[in-house]
Amino acid sequence: MRYPQGGGLTAERRALRERIRMQAAESFALGHDNAAIAKELRVSVRSA
């Protein structure tokens, strides 16, 4: 199944997801584990 550009999200929601991704990347760089990052960002461990 193919999704439209941006996954069908509004520009605001895409920006929010990008901020969350950048926060996760910073936490990974600091050596935090998936579970801690997921809890902090309120996402699933799989998403983290």
Side-chain angles (χ1 to χ4, degrees), residues 1-5 7-8:
M1 175 179 224
R2 301 207 33 122
Y3 295 97
Q5 184 66 23

Side-chain angles (χ1 to χ4, degrees), residues 24-34 36-37:
E26 289 174 20
S27 293
F28 279 121
L30 293 173
H32 297 235
D33 67 339
N34 287 20
I37 294 169

